[in-house]
Amino acid sequence: MSKITTQHIGSAGELLVQYKLLKFGIDSAAMTTDSGSGLVAYSPKTKRAYTIQVKTKERPNQGGGKGKLSLDWNLRASSPAELVAVTDLSTDSVWLFTHAEFEQFAQQRSEKGMLKLYMYVDESVRTKKEMALASQFEQYRIENRVITFF
């Protein structure tokens, strides 16, 4: 078996988002080049296309290298995409945010303009962050958000 690369992981995330959208009758297409948006999806409801940046994790990792299991995704604050889809390949999960929501929920911001959003998958974690447990983001699962945009 060959080693899975970051390109494989990223492509799998984009295909997962497309698959989930297709299950709801939403057409989408990969961009030829990734200039900050990986996908475009057409909304029959609003009769417009949305640009989507997809961020993918293969599986949860230990927060900080030795902490509780969490998923985290980085996004440039200047990303031109209207929507941000974050994925967990280990559970085939997708969450869908507007760019503004991702920015609002990001728990970390770097001086270089990077945003980091994380979710603890271990629900026993005690945190002072308002939104940090995966269960707190349930309403943002793509299955719950399709009606909002599409």
Side-chain angles (χ1 to χ4, degrees):
M1 187 158 129
S2 60
K3 182 178 177 349
I4 188 167
T5 66
T6 55
Q7 287 84 5
H8 291 119
I9 294 167
S11 293
E14 286 185 359
L15 289 169
L16 178 60
V17 172
Q18 287 188 284
Y19 166 71
K20 297 250 183 189
L21 289 171
L22 198 55
K23 284 179 69 175
F24 287 97
I26 308 303
D27 288 317
S28 64
M31 300 293 285
T32 307
T33 60
D34 188 351
S35 57
S37 296
L39 298 174
V40 173
Y42 179 74
S43 169
K45 178 174 143 182
T46 62
K47 306 248 187 289
R48 66 174 292 248
Y50 288 95
T51 56
I52 305 172
Q53 178 70 48
V54 180
K55 297 296 183 177
T56 303
K57 292 302 273 189
E58 185 179 12
R59 70 178 75 78
N61 297 331
Q62 289 183 299
K66 36 187 158 159
K68 300 287 187 179
L69 285 179
S70 66
L71 296 161
D72 66 85
W73 304 271
N74 295 308
L75 179 72
R76 284 189 341 261
S78 62
S79 168
E82 297 167 277
L83 303 177
V84 181
V86 297
T87 71
D88 171 19
L89 296 182
S90 70
T91 60
D92 288 343
S93 296
V94 177
W95 295 266
L96 189 62
F97 301 96
T98 64
H99 187 279
E101 288 167 340
F102 189 99
E103 198 162 356
Q104 174 190 344
F105 296 132
Q107 297 94 340
Q108 296 175 10
R109 291 162 174 73
S110 77
E111 291 179 17
K112 294 181 179 179
M114 292 300 290
L115 306 169
K116 180 178 279 211
L117 172 67
Y118 60 82
M119 300 177 194
Y120 286 105
V121 296
D122 181 340
E123 293 291 320
S124 71
V125 170
R126 301 236 190 277
T127 177
K128 294 179 183 173
K129 301 288 185 184
E130 186 177 325
M131 297 281 283
L133 302 176
S135 62
Q136 294 173 312
F137 291 96
E138 192 65 27
Q139 72 189 57
Y140 296 95
R141 285 189 176 270
I142 197 168
E143 293 84 356
N144 301 326
R145 297 288 279 190
V146 165
I147 194 164
T148 302
F149 302 106
F150 304 102

